[in-house]
Amino acid sequence: MDVRTIDAADPSWGSLLEKVRHDIFHLPEYLAVEDRFRETVTKLLVVEEAGVVMLMPLVFTALLSGVWDASSPYRHAGPIFSAAADAAWRRRAVIAALAHLRESGVVSLFLRSHPQAGLEEFAEVGSVVDHSPHYLIPLDLPLEEIMAGMRKGHRRNMRRAAKEGQVAVHDPGWEHLEEFHGIYSATMDRLDARPEYRFDRRYFEGLRDEVGENASLWVLEMDGIVAGAHVVTEVDGTVQYLLGATHPDCRGKLSQVAIFDAVLRWAHARGDRQYVLGGGAQEPLLHFKAGFTKEAVRETTARIVVDPVEYAAQSARWSVLSGTVADGVEGFFPAYRAPIAERV
């Protein structure tokens, strides 16, 4: 097996993606926008044999002793495989990838699952931890059947929104970027969102200018203002709800289901395979998304100790500094990166 790591600027990244089902989270253009915001550098670990591939985007973080930690980029850029990769091939690819990382000085590997792949192959070499559900709507059924499978309250709210003239429109040119950024920032303030969700205007300009036609806005206007909007992506048959926001003055008036309804109808008419709604950290958000579909996959993370000797040394050093015992692999991972101030 050929194992190598390539940079985002490498033109082969795009050609390798043609060999696998993928979505927005694996595009080098999207990852470049994420890297600029998060001050990271994402590379692609490639395992290839006879045209069959495993692709694993990774962010490498330096440790003081000249070694590295590796992790999936934020969100869902997990490992993906060619359709022709059977279980035996996948196991061999995982072993080859870990050997390559170990030789490159990597101590630990933290992976986030991708909805189309999961992390089952990594359970034999580390710990795979379940998290919240990740909701998606398959688009291979007639639209009437898809709608019939939704919660009655969602269908009722869709009809009410249409009757009241709440109809979302596609804004592929991001003409409403200024208004969207304003209401997005206000939404993050209201939710007291963590810094990793507080995207600046430059981030959205990057989606518009670098990701291009694969990312667009869907906007619903009320009383002359943008009442709500979603950032939606479409790549390789997967339509993805990425981000959304509601104008502070329209909370309780705007029906968010109207925007999801418009995107669903657009994606279905295009012949896309699936409309991914994603998950959420808050139970009300998960309950809301579950009203659209019964189809869900579990989000998982994998925690793998690539170099046990160095991992033990790093953990022991952290324990001395913190005055406490380091977590196991199912806790904070890698254990020696846990914030000490929160532990003492």
Side-chain angles (χ1 to χ4, degrees):
M1 288 182 160
D2 175 46
V3 186
R4 62 192 185 277
T5 304
I6 63 174
D7 297 324
D10 193 317
S12 68
W13 191 318
S15 60
L16 286 164
L17 286 177
E18 295 175 3
K19 301 182 179 185
V20 294
R21 275 191 62 185
H22 62 283
D23 61 19
I24 188 68
F25 301 118
H26 295 92
L27 293 188
E29 297 85 357
Y30 169 77
L31 291 169
V33 174
E34 282 279 305
D35 280 340
R36 194 161 53 239
F37 174 74
R38 304 185 191 281
E39 298 182 341
T40 55
V41 176
T42 301
K43 298 185 178 184
L44 185 67
L45 178 64
V46 182
V47 180
E48 187 170 17
E49 183 181 58
V52 181
V53 299
M54 177 181 77
L55 305 180
M56 188 190 305
L58 291 175
V59 173
F60 294 89
T61 304
L63 298 170
L64 293 178
S65 51
V67 290
W68 304 83
D69 287 326
S71 66
S72 297
Y74 201 71
R75 295 186 182 270
H76 306 287
I80 49 177
F81 297 83
S82 297
D86 59 20
W89 193 95
R90 293 180 181 216
R91 284 194 295 270
R92 290 196 298 116
V94 168
I95 296 302
L98 293 180
H100 174 82
L101 291 173
R102 191 177 302 112
E103 292 169 3
S104 302
V106 171
V107 180
S108 74
L109 175 63
F110 180 86
L111 297 175
R112 298 178 173 90
S113 64
H114 186 270
Q116 295 173 184
L119 294 171
E120 293 83 0
E121 295 80 12
F122 295 87
E124 296 180 11
V125 295
S127 176
V128 175
V129 179
D130 280 347
H131 300 285
S132 61
H134 190 98
Y135 292 98
L136 56 93
I137 304 175
L139 300 176
D140 55 347
L141 294 175
L143 186 59
E144 295 75 17
E145 291 187 35
I146 295 174
M147 302 293 287
M150 294 182 185
R151 188 179 298 146
K152 289 182 180 179
H154 279 12
R155 299 201 304 270
R156 182 173 59 251
N157 289 336
M158 287 176 183
R159 292 192 297 269
R160 181 184 300 156
K163 185 177 180 180
E164 294 175 355
Q166 293 189 27
V167 179
V169 296
H170 195 196
D171 179 11
W174 296 71
E175 301 299 327
H176 297 85
L177 172 58
E178 182 72 29
E179 298 97 317
F180 171 72
H181 181 242
I183 66 172
Y184 180 82
S185 298
T187 299
M188 294 301 101
D189 288 342
R190 175 175 61 82
L191 296 174
D192 193 24
R194 300 195 303 269
E196 57 263 35
Y197 291 105
R198 293 179 177 268
F199 300 111
D200 54 20
R201 183 188 171 99
R202 186 186 182 198
Y203 178 88
F204 294 111
E205 290 174 342
L207 292 180
R208 179 194 63 191
D209 299 338
E210 297 170 49
V211 180
E213 65 181 9
N214 295 117
S216 59
L217 282 176
W218 282 81
V219 175
L220 197 157
E221 293 186 276
M222 293 174 61
D223 302 324
I225 63 171
V226 173
H230 291 179
V231 177
V232 175
T233 64
E234 194 280 336
V235 175
D236 195 26
T238 292
V239 174
Q240 172 82 43
Y241 165 73
L242 196 65
L243 298 164
T246 301
H247 194 289
D249 295 341
C250 298
R251 291 188 62 214
K253 303 176 186 177
L254 169 72
S255 179
Q256 279 284 344
V257 297
I259 308 179
F260 284 102
D261 182 27
V263 176
L264 169 63
R265 293 175 184 276
W266 172 79
H268 192 272
R270 286 169 54 88
D272 285 307
R273 282 193 293 261
Q274 58 183 354
Y275 178 18
V276 179
L277 309 181
Q282 300 171 333
E283 188 59 36
L285 179 58
L286 292 173
H287 178 73
F288 173 75
K289 291 181 177 180
F292 289 98
T293 177
K294 296 180 176 63
E295 295 290 327
V297 296
R298 300 297 298 186
E299 295 185 62
T300 58
T301 55
R303 298 102 185 279
I304 301 162
V305 176
V306 180
D307 183 340
V309 174
E310 184 61 31
Y311 189 94
Q314 293 284 343
S315 297
R317 190 176 300 118
W318 181 91
S319 292
V320 170
L321 293 173
S322 66
T324 187
V325 178
D327 278 349
V329 292
E330 293 190 4
F332 197 103
F333 186 86
Y336 47 80
R337 284 193 176 275
I340 291 177
E342 296 180 7
R343 295 303 196 90
V344 298

